[in-house]
């Protein structure tokens, strides 16, 4: 009887291996051979799933975006107002190893998206989902400012910028510092305290 292979699970295993290799070697240093070995597959076994490192990076970005959204939904269930907004943002901030590795994949994807309109479009669709959610959460949290677009932009700049700064200089962007920066911004936008 032939072995039953869960192809979706294999893709996820390859994405997980991709995070580890990119974190260790960077995007340019990560080879398909390295990724295959890290996932426990023969090099040729990747081709049916991802014909190129570029396609693997696309899938990895889409996977981490979906994973982050699932965490956001679970973490904010039952929360309202400022606490829902704050918790939502915490899932984007690189506050632990998992989210820092996700940030590394996002940074590698952004690097490619600057030259690839298809990747840029994927990124823009993803970020538009977050902008819409943040706008709704800001209003629910009591943002009464006239320019909601600017407020959403400030939050997006902080959480996405933190992915870069915390990855490049973690000593100056500890998880607590990132949380404090977010709280400072939220206080400026909606008042109150953390």
């Amino acid at each position: 009887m032939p072995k039953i292979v869960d192809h979706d699970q294999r893709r996820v295993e390859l994405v997980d291996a991709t995070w580890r290799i990119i974190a260790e070697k960077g995007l340019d240093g990560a080879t398909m051979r390295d990724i295959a070995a890290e996932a426990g597959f023969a090099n040729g076994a990747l081709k049916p799933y991802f014909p190129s490192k570029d396609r693997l990076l696309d899938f990895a970005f889409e996977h981490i975006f979906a994973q982050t959204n699932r965490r956001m939904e679970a973490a904010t269930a039952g929360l309202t107002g400022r606490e829902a907004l704050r918790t939502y943002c915490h899932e984007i901030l690189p506050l632990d190893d998992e989210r820092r590795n996700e940030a590394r994949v996002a940074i590698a994807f952004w690097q490619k998206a600057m030259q690839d309109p298809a990747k840029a479009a994927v990124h823009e669709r993803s970020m538009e989902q977050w902008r819409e959610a943040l706008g709704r959460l800001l209003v629910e949290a009591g943002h009464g400012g006239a320019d909601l677009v600017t407020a959403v932009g400030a939050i997006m700049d902080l959480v996405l910028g933190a992915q870069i700064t915390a990855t490049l200089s973690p000593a100056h962007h500890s998880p607590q510092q990132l949380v404090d920066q977010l709280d400072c911004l939220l206080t400026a936008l909606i008042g109150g305290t953390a």
Side-chain angles (χ1 to χ4, degrees):
M1 174 172 274
K3 182 179 177 183
I4 297 174
V5 177
D6 184 339
H7 296 288
D8 291 333
Q9 180 59 35
R10 278 210 165 169
R11 284 183 185 88
V12 170
E13 289 168 4
L14 291 168
V15 167
D16 290 341
T18 301
W19 292 353
R20 293 188 297 270
I21 294 297
I22 289 176
E24 179 185 331
K25 298 183 176 191
L27 178 63
D28 290 337
T31 66
M32 292 295 274
R33 183 177 307 280
D34 293 334
I35 293 166
E38 180 72 18
F41 299 136
N43 189 36
L46 269 65
K47 287 287 183 197
Y49 299 102
F50 302 107
S52 68
K53 186 168 70 171
D54 197 56
R55 182 59 199 123
L56 177 56
L57 181 61
D58 291 348
F59 185 85
F61 178 80
E62 292 164 7
H63 177 75
I64 64 169
F65 181 74
Q67 182 170 289
T68 302
N69 286 342
R70 283 189 297 274
R71 278 197 322 262
M72 288 167 166
E73 186 176 331
T76 59
L79 299 178
T80 59
R82 181 189 184 106
E83 193 57 31
L85 175 60
R86 190 172 183 264
T87 301
Y88 187 93
C89 292
H90 284 189
E91 294 307 323
I92 304 170
L93 290 172
L95 301 178
D96 58 24
D97 288 341
E98 178 182 18
R99 288 174 276 188
R100 272 188 297 278
N101 285 338
E102 290 173 351
R104 287 180 179 99
V105 171
I107 291 166
F109 184 84
W110 296 337
Q111 180 183 356
K112 294 287 188 178
M114 288 189 292
Q115 305 302 319
D116 184 333
K119 282 180 177 46
V122 167
H123 181 263
E124 182 54 28
R125 281 192 305 273
S126 302
M127 296 304 99
E128 186 57 29
Q129 288 179 9
W130 284 358
R131 283 191 289 269
E132 288 174 11
L134 286 168
R136 179 181 45 76
L137 289 167
L138 267 165
V139 169
E140 289 174 6
H143 175 70
D147 195 349
L148 184 61
V149 171
T150 298
V152 168
I155 294 173
M156 290 289 288
D157 288 348
L158 185 138
V159 296
L160 295 178
Q163 292 185 330
I164 297 167
T165 57
T167 300
L168 291 176
S169 51
H172 297 287
H173 299 90
S174 71
Q176 187 58 55
Q177 289 168 315
L178 296 177
V179 168
D180 290 346
Q181 291 166 12
L182 174 64
D183 288 339
C184 181
L185 177 59
L186 294 183
T187 297
L189 295 174
I190 58 177
T193 58

